Amino acid sequence: MDAFKRFLTARDEPENLRRLREDAFAVFTGMGFPAVKSEDWKYTNVAPLMGLDWKVSEGQPKVPADVDWELLEVFDGGRNGFTALNVAFGEYATLRIAKDTVVDQPIEFNFAAADGTAQFPHLLVIAEAGSKATIVESYESTAKSFTNAAIQIVVEDNANLTHYRVQKESADAFHYGVTEVSVGRGGVYNSTNINLGSALSRHDIELKFRAEGGEAWVDGLYMLNGSQHSDTHSIIDHTVPNCTSHQNYKGVLNDSARAVFNGKVLVRENAHGTDAQQSNKNLLLSNDARVDTKPQLEIFNDDVKCAHGATVGQLEEEELFYLLTRGLPENLARNLLTYGFAEEIINKIGIDSIKSNLDAAVLNRLKVKLEIENI
Amino acid sequence: MLLEVKDLHAGIDGKEILKGLNLQVNKGEVHAIMGPNGSGKSTLSKVLAGHPSYQVISGEVLYEGKNLLELEPDERARDGVFMAFQYPVEVPGVSNSQFLRLAYNEKMKHLGTEELDPLEFNDYLKEKAKVVEMSSEFFKRSVNEGFSGGEKKRNEILQMAVLEPKLAILDETDSGLDIDALRIVAEGVNKLRSEDNAIILVTHYQRLLNFIVPDMVHVLAGGKIVKEGGKELALELEEKGYDWVKAATK
């Protein structure tokens, strides 16, 4: 409470923003952090995070917060205690990609919090009609820190937005993030979400098609070891006809790591002509690793093409035998197959510097050194 | 002698498929093993390569005078045994060139010779790819993923070219190939044929043997070699059908 007051007084902000923060803080005080008894948080216990005393990240910008109010107002801050807290302490920034503009260079946002501190970035991204751009949202805290992030994205009519979200915080960090997307007529949203870091992380995704002809990819990879825990909850909401969604999430779990994937695809009554594909494949490399996967399709219209599936398993024996017959020792062959499994997602990334960085991170996770360099 | 199979009994899931097979292969020779479906052709290939699902019940396999059956599949490969798969496996996410360089360098390590870095290997690979008329576009693609049937089989022969085995077992390499792909694959094999290696062609049809002319033809039926001869045997078999051999051996 005191921390919040200090935070408010240290800032010279307009009344409406102040009020927004105060209201959100009141919501947080009322609801607290999510508890495991709530169905949505059944497998993810945030107690370890609550017991700690976090300082709000220093060195906040003194420039006035850049808020797109129209967009911020539709944010569901009351979704849970984290989102309420994010609105209360939010460091707001707006990115507007002008109508019919093609931005060739990726637009990057990097966030890192220092030891013992919490950061609350809140990005508002509007890709105006007919624009095309790539954004990179990356979280790179190297210490025991707490990130509570939100990004709201509007893809307007016929805009095309590629979104890479990379979370590779330290293995001591805590991470909560929410991604809210709305896609307009003929809009294309293509995202790849990589989760490698944090002791405990949760990513909520909510994508809504607002008009016909939209297409979205919501793909991701979680690769965990030690006692890491990562939870992804996503909702892809087909509220209108003739939209296409693809979701391909993969997981690689070692040691006693644990992952949760809960992906809901909702096809509303009038959403005829929907094409929705969803897949979640998991590779368990140790007996103690565990994944709880729950792909869900809720369809209220007959004229749709939908498929979903989830697998949890070990490496394919036939693939392993094939590599052995080419002279690769078993340990190397297993690691190469694991690498390949993860690469299917990493290979989607169209920016070389990010891709090679993630390649290295994936290789680093494997317990044998693989000498793979691309030419 | 490079390979000597003596009275081999082997099978899968407790079912005996090979029932006393004998075979001798010398360096510089090409042997064709022909037989109808279910005769044990694939079992023989898989037992030689060391597939874990197949069990050897009795008998002996000597490779360069050593007990081959004692070796793990990867040890056999590094010692120069290669099997081209009837159904090559797709390995998503791993590029052909990454995979081949790892395999090549493991073999070099085993031989105590110098390993190649990615650039050197790329040059080596380009040279080898000519054997099966493959363009370098295939190097970056994931191993066999999205390859047509013919491309997969060419990729098997490319692997053979890269790894330079002493003993290559081609398991139904001709199956599913159209005539152009068959010609490319066969010409590739012919280019790799030398005095220092031996090739075992496992096939149902005589067609492949028009392109790769064997020194010896062995006919497999009921888990045993039932007839042996020169390349003419394949033609005779084509003309009279497998029933002829089955009837003749009853």
Side-chain angles (χ1 to χ4, degrees), chain A residues 79-294:
Chain A
R79 174 195 311 264
N80 60 49
F82 287 111
T83 49
L85 206 55
N86 173 279
V87 174
F89 287 100
E91 290 300 334
Y92 297 98
T94 302
L95 169 70
R96 193 171 271 280
I97 299 146
K99 191 166 182 281
D100 296 325
T101 309
V102 176
V103 183
D104 289 326
Q105 288 299 316
I107 302 159
E108 301 198 27
F109 300 92
N110 298 310
F111 302 101
D115 195 26
T117 69
Q119 60 176 351
F120 302 89
H122 191 129
L123 293 173
L124 301 146
V125 178
I126 301 112
E128 292 187 354
S131 67
K132 188 175 183 198
T134 296
I135 59 169
V136 183
E137 180 196 1
S138 73
Y139 297 94
E140 303 181 346
S141 299
T142 54
K144 185 162 185 165
S145 59
F146 169 36
T147 295
N148 179 346
I151 184 167
Q152 291 177 258
I153 295 171
V154 178
V155 179
E156 293 188 347
D157 295 354
N158 301 310
N160 185 322
L161 188 74
T162 299
H163 179 196
Y164 301 122
R165 185 187 200 278
V166 180
Q167 187 273 106
K168 47 175 183 174
E169 300 193 322
S170 93
D172 296 324
F174 295 94
H175 183 97
Y176 175 80
V178 60
T179 300
E180 276 190 8
V181 187
S182 97
V183 180
R185 188 173 306 276
V188 177
Y189 172 73
N190 188 344
S191 72
T192 310
N193 301 278
I194 310 290
N195 292 292
L196 301 174
S198 297
L200 179 61
S201 68
R202 159 99 174 203
H203 184 205
D204 289 335
I205 303 167
E206 190 176 318
L207 181 138
K208 199 174 271 180
F209 290 105
R210 215 177 45 242
E212 290 194 39
E215 183 160 21
W217 282 263
V218 181
D219 297 335
L221 170 73
Y222 39 89
M223 196 164 179
L224 313 169
N225 56 16
S227 56
Q228 283 184 294
H229 179 116
S230 170
D231 180 343
T232 299
H233 267 62
S234 82
I235 299 174
I236 295 174
D237 193 351
H238 288 262
T239 57
V240 290
N242 300 318
C243 291
T244 303
S245 68
H246 318 257
Q247 186 169 36
N248 183 13
Y249 255 78
K250 291 181 114 177
V252 180
L253 285 82
N254 210 337
D255 306 325
S256 57
R258 190 159 173 195
V260 181
F261 175 81
N262 186 305
K264 189 189 277 184
V265 176
L266 205 55
V267 182
R268 308 260 183 181
E269 260 167 59
N270 66 328
H272 58 82
T274 291
D275 183 348
Q277 311 293 324
Q278 185 188 46
S279 153
N280 174 232
K281 289 183 183 157
N282 296 279
L283 194 52
L284 299 186
L285 300 176
S286 114
N287 290 332
D288 297 328
R290 174 173 166 171
V291 61
D292 292 284
T293 172
K294 194 174 176 191

Side-chain angles (χ1 to χ4, degrees), chain A residues 371 373 375, chain B residues 97 101 104-105 114-125:
Chain A
E371 287 187 18
E373 307 88 6
I375 353 167
Chain B
S97 60
R101 193 173 70 86
Y104 178 82
N105 280 343
E114 211 171 311
E115 299 174 35
L116 297 182
D117 70 29
L119 284 174
E120 292 166 334
F121 184 75
N122 200 36
D123 290 342
Y124 176 77
L125 190 56

Side-chain angles (χ1 to χ4, degrees), chain A residues 318-319 321-330 332 336-337 339-341 343 347 370-375, chain B residues 50-51 74 77-78 82-83 85 89 91-94 98-99 101-103 106 118-119 122 140 144 156 159:
Chain A
E318 283 307 308
E319 291 180 15
F321 177 64
Y322 189 64
L323 299 193
L324 294 177
T325 64
R326 285 2 183 194
L328 301 187
E330 184 170 338
L332 180 64
L336 188 63
L337 290 175
Y339 169 79
F341 181 87
E343 278 305 283
N347 277 340
L370 265 187
E371 287 187 18
I372 295 180
E373 307 88 6
N374 288 297
I375 353 167
Chain B
H51 194 291
D74 55 314
R78 290 193 297 273
F82 178 87
M83 177 174 83
F85 280 52
V89 178
V91 189
V94 177
Q98 289 172 334
F99 165 56
R101 193 173 70 86
L102 284 172
E106 283 301 323
L119 284 174
N122 200 36
K140 285 201 169 178
N144 294 326
E156 294 292 285
Q159 293 176 21

